[in-house]
Each structure stands twice: as C-alpha cells, then as structure tokens.
Amino acid sequence: MLASNRDIGQCTSVCLKKPPRHRKDLAAPKINGLRERRIRMKRDPTVDTIVKLAENLGMSVTPSEAEDYAHLIETTLADYDVIREMSEPAVSPEEQRYARSDSGRRPDEGEDPYNAWISRTKVAGADDGLLADARVGLKDNIALAGVEMTCGSTLLEGYVPSVTATVVHRLLDEGATIVGKNNMDSFGFSSSGDLSDFGAVRNPADESYLAGGSSGGCAAALASDEIEIALGCDQGGSICVPAANCGVVGLRPTTGLVPYTGIFPVERTIDHVGPMAQRVADVAVTLEAIAGRDGLDSRQPADLEPEGYTEALGRDISGLTVALLEEGFDHPESRAAVTDAVDSAVGRLADLGVEVKRVSVPIHNRAPAVAWLIWGYGSLQVFKQAGQVPQHDGWYDTDFKRIFSKCRAAAGDTLSPMVKATLLAMEYIDQRHTALYGKAKNVSRTITRRYDDVLAEADAIVMPTTPGKPLGVDPELNQIERIIRTFPPNKNTCPFAITGHPTLSVPCGTVDGLPIGMMLVGSRFDESTILSIGDAYERHSS
C-alpha cells in the first residue's frame, strides 16, 4: 500500500552541513573490485575499536583476540557489501498516484493562529469515495512522499520521505484531500502540547491554554474548522487527550486494526494511528476507510476483518450497559467540575436507556506507571535502533533508518529536554534493572484481564478522558516543571494503550469555558459499540 518515490530528495538541514558526502551515502552506488576492497578496508575496525566494543558489551578481550575478531568482522562486512548491492523489493508496484500543488511550505503566522501546522500542502485524492472533498491533516510523524516530516523535532527538519503511509493512501483512494502536516510534541513524547520544537499548540477555545498532546496540532486544526478530519498517533493518550482538550472526537483503535506502516514508531506494542474529527460520524467513516490489513505490518492479525463502522451510527443504544469506573474519577489531579460534567453525560446515556453500573478496578491507578515504563523503554530502543526496532516481519523503511541515524549522531544535542530525560532514565534502567521492562509487560497482562472482566459484563467502560481541564500556557515554568506536568493528563488514557482496548473521547461540556471529554472504552475490535454510544450521546446532546 506504500508508494515508492525514491527519486525525491531526503536530506535534513542538520545533515546538509556536508551535502556532497550525504548525497553520496544516500545514492549507495555500486562499486566493485579493488575500489570496493579499499573502501571496506578503510572501515574495518581497529584493535582499539574492538576493545571498546567489547567493553560496551560487558566483555574484555586481549589485543591478540581483538585482531582475530577484526578479521572475522571483515568477513561479515564482505557479506554486508553483497546485501548492499541487492535491490530492495518495491513497497508497491504503483508510483505516487496523486499530484500535489507543492512540496509543502511553512505557514505564516497569519494563517496559523494556533500554531497547529508544521507545513501546508495540497494532495487531492480520487474524484469520489467515502471521504470525497474532505480536508485532512496528518500528524507530522505520518509519511507523505515529497512533503517534509519532522516528528515535531528540529533534528529531522528538512527530511523528506520517499514513501507514503498506508493510511494516507487509503484516505486518498476514498477522495480525501491532504492539506498539511500538523504540529506535535517532539517525537510524541508529551501529552501537554507545548513540547514541540516548533512551538506550543494553542487551544482554540482559549489561547491562554494548550491544545494537549502529542497530536495537538490535529485537534486545534479541527476545532478551528481548518479541516474536517485528522489522523493522529497514540502511544498513551496522544489522540484522546488533545481531542478532549479541544472539544473534538478522537478514536484510538484496537491495537492492530489500522496498519502503522510508514509512520514513525515509539514502541511497537503500543503504536496506534487513528481518526479525529468534529463528529463521531466522521470518525466512523474514516475508520472504515483506513482499517484492515496491508500485509506490511506484522502486528495485524492474519484473520482481521474490519466491520462497516458507519453501520454503527444512528443505532438505538437502549439495553446496553456501561460500567462507570470509579478509579477513573478519583485521581489526585481530578477536578470536581470535570467529574460532575462527565457524571452528567453518563446520566444522559441513562436517559437513552443505557444501564449504568459502578465498578472498581484498583489496578487502574497503578497502570500508568506500567504504561510509562513500556513507552519509555520502547522509545529508547527505537532511538538506539535509528527509528525502527528489528525482529519483526513487517516492512522496514531503510531510507529513513539511515538518515535518522546520521542526524542523531550529528545533532543529538538538539533533542528536546523531554526526549533527553526519557532516554537517559531508560538507559539507566536498562543498565541496572534489566528485567523491569519484561516485568511491566507481564503485569500488563494482569491489567488487561481486569478490564476484560469488566467488559465481559458491560458493553463499554466510561470515565473522564482527562482528570482535569487543559493545561495553561505558562512561560515561567522551567524545563523540569514542564516535563513533570505532562504525565497527569493521560492517567486515564495510557492504561488502554498497553492493553489494546479501543478508546473514544467525545466532547461532553466545558469547565471554565474549556472543553472536556467523556471516554468510552470497548472490547478489542469492537469499535462499533463505542461508536454507537458516542454517536447517540452526541445526537441527543446537540
């Protein structure tokens, strides 16, 4: 489903400090004979290099042993040269099918009052389809061939991917028009909305507050009527949190329902891409367009059969049961006004014939710590592996991996403080508490069973999307304070990223004039039920 367009330049501003060498590396020319042998010998490791590599792996080798290992490595490098000369299979037999009006440009301040955009472009899709004429924004970690992708970081400023993500092709095939790439917190490492290297995303409801993150640009652009649909990405709340903050709808689908191919990852087991829109109906139709296997994402079940999600709209929801999760209303950061507003929204569901019962899942309040460890440790591996962790059967973006590795090595100091803090903490854990990630993954199975027990007796779980109202714009905060405050907003959302349950945030009122959201959690691959409930609530509340 990805279209190859490898003649498009893909150099970043950081790496362009030595452009001739960078372009030469990207071209990967075939070389033979003596010239190849000389180049390989120049890069063969020295004895000192072998000794240092051994130290990094917790081993010690003598100079004599190091010479022997260097010889063995030379043999391995010879095999590498064979691989380098081989052609990779095309990701798609088709070239880029949809023309663009430009390759992307930075919007000026006048046309981007909330700082919702990294770049603007126009790529028109098919003449008709489910999304005909819909204007769509993409979070700026989703690849669109020929248009810059920064992931919210100056480290990648100027990088132009040569492929288009599967989900984007599916949107275009259904008639959508891509109008730009939305601002996001640097590499998705925040739920606040003010940790992008390109500036904070302001909340359209009140510019003295933030849109939330990390898909904040998507939510702000929707709330200000600049687009009808956005695609956000989520590893713990990055779709639902900004959706709630900006008064729009956001869906994080079941793990594996929507292919993640062509999108910058954070942690394979919790990477999600999903639709955001002003109405539940638009979220449903977008999900219908993008769900399903692409054959390139090994996280997707072999027997995956997406439903017709638009069929969930307009249903009578009387007779359904929702479980009100007590712990979701009872965080130290919970605001009484938010709790009351969501309680009132649940009362409207009861008026529609839904049975409401209160349930307790005590582990819910401990689940965020598990989720944050999995997210952080996974992030460390992605950065160590230059953007894509090995040992899976999916597609690898080798062009991006090479460029990301060069940029990280050349300009790692340009990473945001939040990214640096996360990577340093996880490197410390990796070296001194090596089993902690494995334990977190094992504990996540227990957490999953607790929610499954509730969903065996209820059609959905309900709670506030965020415990409090949106965070304020505060230039007086230091970096430590700015980092610490990014965690509380996703305390209700992040547990379900590690369990794989779908979550839907629906606007349910305001507190101090700022939007808040009600979150519905469904059984895995049962998006239809939570879409039905959200749609019914929306129709009877407007």
Side-chain angles (χ1 to χ4, degrees):
M1 289 294 178
L2 289 172
S4 179
N5 193 13
R6 299 186 182 278
D7 60 336
I8 296 173
Q10 41 180 318
C11 297
T12 71
S13 58
V14 170
C15 296
L16 282 177
K17 291 177 181 177
K18 296 183 179 180
R21 179 178 179 182
H22 185 54
R23 284 195 288 270
K24 178 180 177 182
D25 288 345
L26 285 177
K30 293 183 179 180
I31 48 180
N32 297 292
L34 181 61
R35 182 179 173 208
E36 177 182 6
R37 172 67 177 166
R38 286 175 179 169
I39 290 176
R40 191 169 70 241
M41 289 182 68
K42 285 180 182 179
R43 68 166 185 248
D44 287 345
T46 65
V47 169
D48 288 343
T49 299
I50 296 297
V51 171
K52 290 179 181 178
L53 288 173
E55 290 176 354
N56 290 339
L57 292 171
M59 304 180 297
S60 60
V61 296
T62 66
S64 177
E65 290 172 329
E67 287 184 4
D68 291 338
Y69 291 132
H71 176 71
L72 292 172
I73 290 174
E74 180 180 349
T75 302
T76 301
L77 292 176
D79 291 336
Y80 165 78
D81 289 328
V82 173
I83 297 171
R84 190 179 64 176
E85 290 190 358
M86 297 173 70
S87 298
E88 293 185 55
V91 191
S92 168
E94 304 177 43
E95 292 298 320
Q96 181 71 31
R97 290 168 291 174
Y98 301 104
R100 59 181 52 79
S101 61
D102 57 57
S103 59
R105 59 179 177 80
R106 291 276 192 272
D108 60 44
E109 187 174 347
E111 62 178 326
D112 189 16
Y114 307 110
N115 200 28
W117 301 93
I118 296 292
S119 62
R120 300 301 299 262
T121 188
K122 184 177 181 181
V123 183
D127 292 336
D128 54 27
L130 291 172
L131 303 170
D133 300 323
R135 297 168 298 165
V136 178
L138 305 175
K139 187 174 182 177
D140 199 33
N141 63 339
I142 302 174
L144 175 60
V147 177
E148 180 187 36
M149 184 178 84
T150 69
C151 296
S153 171
T154 55
L155 182 75
L156 287 175
E157 189 173 10
Y159 163 64
V160 178
S162 60
V163 296
T164 294
T166 298
V167 288
V168 180
H169 267 301
R170 291 178 175 178
L171 294 176
L172 292 169
D173 287 345
E174 292 293 345
T177 297
I178 309 301
V179 297
K181 308 295 291 297
N182 293 112
N183 198 0
M184 58 178 285
D185 293 270
S186 180
F187 289 107
F189 279 37
S190 173
S191 64
S192 64
D194 68 341
L195 293 179
S196 168
D197 289 356
F198 299 94
V201 182
R202 305 289 181 125
N203 196 316
D206 185 336
E207 291 185 53
S208 63
Y209 288 84
L210 296 166
S214 60
S215 306
C218 295
L222 285 165
S224 55
D225 293 322
E226 296 184 66
I227 50 178
E228 286 81 38
I229 293 166
L231 288 188
C233 299
D234 190 306
Q235 287 81 22
S238 290
I239 289 175
C240 288
V241 169
N245 285 357
C246 293
V248 299
V249 182
L251 173 71
R252 185 194 57 73
T254 302
T255 306
L257 177 62
V258 179
Y260 204 78
T261 313
I263 304 172
F264 183 84
V266 172
E267 212 280 356
R268 281 187 52 78
T269 65
I270 60 173
D271 285 331
H272 303 86
V273 56
M276 304 169 70
Q278 295 179 1
R279 309 285 292 180
V280 173
D282 289 332
V283 164
V285 72
T286 306
L287 182 63
E288 195 165 304
I290 64 177
R293 285 178 52 81
D294 72 347
L296 301 171
D297 186 343
S298 59
R299 288 165 287 201
Q300 297 193 274
D303 59 351
L304 177 62
E305 294 185 7
E307 300 177 10
Y309 300 105
T310 53
E311 297 174 8
L313 305 173
R315 286 180 180 172
D316 179 5
I317 62 171
S318 62
L320 296 181
T321 300
V322 299
L324 189 151
L325 183 65
E326 292 181 353
E327 285 78 11
F329 292 78
D330 190 26
H331 299 288
E333 301 83 8
S334 294
R335 289 275 304 266
V338 173
T339 296
D340 291 345
V342 177
D343 272 333
S344 177
V346 175
R348 290 186 190 141
L349 293 179
D351 293 339
L352 295 174
V354 174
E355 179 185 352
V356 179
K357 64 178 185 179
R358 302 181 72 88
V359 297
S360 176
V361 180
I363 204 169
H364 178 78
N365 283 338
R366 303 177 70 183
V370 178
W372 293 333
L373 188 281
I374 292 171
W375 159 76
Y377 189 87
S379 302
L380 174 66
Q381 307 315 310
V382 166
F383 271 76
K384 281 186 171 181
Q385 297 294 334
Q388 197 159 21
V389 178
Q391 298 180 339
H392 68 88
D393 292 330
W395 176 76
Y396 289 81
D397 189 343
T398 54
D399 286 344
F400 177 80
K401 190 174 180 70
R402 181 172 61 249
I403 290 171
F404 184 77
S405 180
K406 288 177 179 291
C407 294
R408 185 196 58 193
D413 283 342
T414 67
L415 290 170
S416 74
M418 178 65 176
V419 176
K420 289 180 180 177
T422 301
L423 298 182
L424 287 170
M426 293 303 115
E427 180 68 12
Y428 182 87
I429 289 172
D430 194 29
Q431 293 182 7
R432 291 166 174 79
H433 307 283
T434 54
L436 201 56
Y437 173 83
K439 183 172 183 178
K441 292 296 293 182
N442 290 339
V443 170
S444 72
R445 297 168 64 87
T446 300
I447 298 169
T448 300
R449 286 196 296 271
R450 297 294 180 266
Y451 296 132
D452 283 344
D453 290 343
V454 174
L455 289 166
E457 304 294 331
D459 297 288
I461 303 172
V462 64
M463 69 198 79
T465 306
T466 62
K469 68 181 187 180
L471 299 173
V473 175
D474 189 349
E476 300 302 318
L477 291 177
N478 62 42
Q479 291 293 353
I480 298 300
E481 293 168 330
R482 204 173 297 280
I483 290 170
I484 289 174
R485 73 170 184 165
T486 192
F487 293 102
N490 63 26
K491 281 191 172 181
N492 278 343
T493 57
C494 67
F496 301 102
I498 63 173
T499 66
H501 296 91
T503 57
L504 177 72
S505 181
V506 181
C508 68
T510 60
V511 171
D512 298 332
L514 295 163
I516 58 169
M518 171 177 66
M519 188 171 74
L520 298 161
V521 182
S523 297
R524 285 180 295 279
F525 297 105
D526 187 18
E527 277 75 6
S528 290
T529 295
I530 57 176
L531 287 168
S532 290
I533 297 171
D535 172 61
Y537 171 80
E538 183 183 78
R539 286 185 288 109
H540 290 85
S541 301
S542 56

